[in-house]
Amino acid sequence: MITEQRMPANTSLPPLGLLVDKANQLVQTLATPSLVQLVLRLALAVPFWRSGMLKWAGFLRLNDTAVTLFSDEFMLHLPGGPYHFPAPAVMAFLSGCGEIMFPILLVLGLGTRFAGLGLLFMTVIVELTVPDGWPIHLTWAAMALGIMAYGPGNLSLDHLICRARSHGR
């Protein structure tokens, strides 16, 4: 993958070429991989966190609406369906836990790739539940896959832990 394209320093560029090269360098300086990875983590965490906060009435206590959604409103749109969710109270609890824990892990950059995988799995379930939401679900899936592929970046606890382990050897 090409991450950087710059003109060689000894090449004489026309003024427009120099301007484009300088602008390109500025954009690359602003969009460092670690900053991009942090923003991806935060951007994916926010919608799941907000949804998760709506499901709880207290510590490990779901509100009535969360269970009602999974028992009466939400349906899995699979071939031959739609079908009701199995064990709606359990599904609501697992969904609420995932929507709180995975975003926390993403923001901290702790177990980041696994949190991305968890949110990718949840995105697939959400897509099966709300198939018309595919444009936003595709965006969530792309962010989760980017996090899984490229990791959390330097601005994360994962990075600090790896660095501390390598210094301890």
Side-chain angles (χ1 to χ4, degrees), residues 2-135:
I2 297 174
T3 58
E4 195 174 303
Q5 283 186 336
R6 292 189 179 152
M7 299 295 288
N10 60 358
T11 304
S12 61
L13 291 174
L16 181 59
L18 284 173
L19 182 62
V20 169
D21 191 49
K22 291 290 182 190
N24 191 27
Q25 290 174 14
L26 176 64
V27 169
Q28 287 179 335
T29 301
L30 293 174
T32 63
S34 287
L35 178 62
V36 171
Q37 289 163 302
L38 174 64
V39 171
L40 270 176
R41 292 182 356 236
L42 296 175
L44 184 57
V46 167
F48 285 93
W49 172 265
R50 292 179 69 186
S51 177
M53 290 303 291
L54 296 174
K55 288 183 174 66
W56 297 101
F59 183 71
L60 296 179
R61 201 175 80 231
L62 287 172
N63 62 34
D64 296 334
T65 306
V67 178
T68 301
L69 285 172
F70 279 88
S71 59
D72 298 339
E73 296 293 323
F74 291 165
M75 303 284 277
L76 288 170
H77 295 271
L78 295 168
Y83 302 102
H84 287 282
F85 270 88
V90 173
M91 294 301 289
F93 183 80
L94 291 175
S95 172
C97 287
E99 288 175 331
I100 295 297
M101 290 308 301
F102 294 141
I104 289 172
L105 291 172
L106 281 184
V107 168
L108 295 174
L110 183 63
T112 309
R113 284 187 163 105
F114 296 106
L117 177 62
L119 290 179
L120 179 62
F121 178 74
M122 290 185 73
T123 299
V124 170
I125 300 300
V126 171
E127 175 58 25
L128 292 173
T129 306
V130 186
D132 291 341
W134 69 266

